[in-house]
Each structure stands twice: as C-alpha cells, then as structure tokens.
Amino acid sequence: MMLEVKNLDVFYGNIRALHGISFEVNKGEIVTLIGSNGAGKTTTLRSISALNRIHGGEIVFDGKPITNLEAHRIVRLGISHVPEGRKIIGNLTVLENLMMGAFIRSDKAGIQESLEDVFTRFPRLKERAKQLGGTLSGGEQQMLAIGRGLMAKPELLLLDEPSMGLSPILVEEIFDIISRINKLGTTILLVEQNAFMALQVAHRGYVLETGRIVLSGPSAKLRADDQVRAAYLGEIA
C-alpha cells in the first residue's frame, strides 16, 4: 500500500472540515475523491501535502508516518501536488515554471531527462518554453501545472480539479494525459468535480459529503450506484 489516511480530522478555526476520514491508495492505482463543493476534497489533498495542519489521525506514505511533516519534506519523500487553480507563476517562462518543480533535486542529468519527458508528453509546452506562463491558454496552463508536478519525479501525484474551467475537448485531453501518466508508472490521487470523467479513468473512488466518506468502491460500482448517478452524474436514479 502506498498511502494510508487514517481517521483524519482537520479544522478551520472552530469549523471541522474533515470528520475522521480513512482511505488508501495502492501503488499503480488512480484513486479519485468525488463530491460537491465544500465536501472536503481539496482539504484532504492539502492535508497530505502539509499545507493544512492535521488535528487528529495519521497519514502513512510507503510505510512511513508523514503526519504534519514540513511540506518540502513531503515532496522529497515522493509526493507532488498539482493544486486547484493551477497556481503557475505568470511572470516566469514555461521553462522556469517547470524548473521550479525540480527545486528539491540536484541531479542535473536526471532533471534534464525529466524535462525532456515532460516536453515529450506536452509538445505544446516545448513550443512555448520561452513564453510567459501567464500568456498560455487555460488548457496549456493546466498542462504546465501537471508538468511542473512531474518534474519532482513523484511516486504519488496529487491532482486537484485538473478539468476546472476547461472546454469539453480539453477536458477529454487532460484526462487522457492523466491516464497515460498512470500507465507509465505514477500513482495518482485525483480530486475532481467532474465525477463522470473521474470515474472513467480511476480504478477506485471515494465519495465525500461534508467532510465524511459516505461511499467507496471500484469505479464501475460507483458509476452504477443510484445515489452517485443522481447526485454526481446528472442522471435520474
């Protein structure tokens, strides 16, 4: 097992955002967390990355407890976070943004190899390597955010709302990229409001409601569940 989240509690002030949630991610999987706005999906990823303080419970990665470690140590252990809203640096070039993703690394040859790998996956980024990140289209910025995450050479990639604000055609392209990244060996924990697409690419999923996991199982089972179909897939149960 690559990631174990056990009885995780997180508060924002006096507001309890996560109510003792537990889930796991096995090596080689895509696991998705789905749910409505405010369900706790982004909070969960931020807690794993040490961007939120954990008030109770435990997070274990590759058999090692990582609860409330510093964020840079989380990255060094092999977890890379592509945040909601992309958070690229608009006044840096595409190349400079990508190199920011390799800040923990000192292996120059390996960094160059990772850069060429990103450019192979995202040819548009190579074409725009000297262009400022803020001038890219929404789809290109999402590709840049994912590419930056991959520059850390992660074992586990956390993806937060990668389809947000994209056209249907670009959504298809982004999810195809996610699937290919996984097939090449990267384990992925995916937070996504587009439950239909998330459950198409994921092996398993968990449904969050107001900070609690209310349903879990293989993606095919969740796609067939009447509650999921009615609440998240836009179908009448």
Side-chain angles (χ1 to χ4, degrees):
M1 190 180 304
M2 178 170 281
L3 179 74
E4 293 179 87
V5 174
K6 306 175 183 179
N7 303 312
L8 192 64
D9 286 321
V10 174
F11 286 79
Y12 293 121
N14 293 324
I15 299 171
R16 191 174 184 180
L18 296 178
H19 296 257
I21 69 168
S22 298
F23 65 91
E24 60 192 42
V25 180
N26 296 312
K27 185 176 176 62
E29 286 188 310
I30 300 177
V31 172
T32 188
L33 307 178
I34 62 174
S36 58
N37 276 333
K41 305 185 305 296
T42 291
T43 296
T44 301
L45 293 196
R46 288 178 57 85
S47 299
I48 295 167
S49 297
L51 300 176
N52 284 344
R53 180 162 180 78
I54 296 163
H55 295 84
E58 185 179 20
I59 301 173
V60 178
F61 177 67
D62 271 348
K64 306 179 189 73
I66 63 168
T67 313
N68 287 328
L69 285 182
E70 297 94 338
H72 68 90
R73 292 181 64 190
I74 300 289
V75 178
R76 288 185 186 279
L77 287 172
I79 299 176
S80 188
H81 188 165
V82 180
E84 180 183 11
R86 298 148 199 161
K87 303 293 194 296
I88 66 162
I89 303 174
N91 60 356
L92 295 184
T93 66
V94 166
L95 179 59
E96 289 167 337
N97 269 280
L98 289 173
M99 295 306 291
M100 289 287 289
F103 78 98
I104 62 163
R105 301 175 61 184
S106 57
D107 55 325
K108 291 184 179 180
I111 291 170
Q112 186 60 38
E113 184 179 331
S114 294
L115 182 63
E116 290 303 321
D117 180 56
V118 168
F119 283 154
T120 298
R121 295 175 195 249
F122 304 105
R124 272 178 277 180
L125 296 184
K126 186 171 186 178
E127 294 169 7
R128 292 158 174 72
K130 296 181 180 180
Q131 191 171 322
L132 292 180
T135 66
L136 300 179
S137 69
E140 290 164 348
Q141 288 188 13
Q142 187 61 66
M143 293 175 193
L144 178 55
I146 295 173
R148 181 184 58 192
L150 292 173
M151 287 296 295
K153 204 171 182 181
E155 294 180 49
L156 174 64
L157 185 64
L158 310 180
L159 292 176
D160 194 352
E161 303 286 5
S163 76
M164 181 182 289
L166 302 184
S167 69
I169 291 176
L170 282 174
V171 169
E172 293 272 359
E173 185 174 356
I174 289 297
F175 275 95
D176 181 61
I177 288 166
I178 291 169
S179 182
R180 282 189 277 124
I181 289 170
N182 174 249
K183 286 175 181 174
L184 289 171
T186 304
T187 304
I188 295 173
L189 178 58
L190 168 67
V191 156
E192 181 57 58
Q193 271 197 286
N194 187 333
F196 178 82
M197 292 300 299
L199 292 173
Q200 288 288 330
V201 300
H203 300 93
R204 295 187 299 109
Y206 295 84
V207 180
L208 270 72
E209 290 182 4
T210 58
R212 296 176 173 87
I213 291 174
V214 297
L215 204 61
S216 65
S219 292
K221 178 182 176 182
L222 293 179
R223 288 197 305 269
D225 184 90
D226 287 346
Q227 179 185 347
V228 173
R229 288 171 53 215
Y232 304 110
L233 303 182
E235 300 178 14
I236 300 173

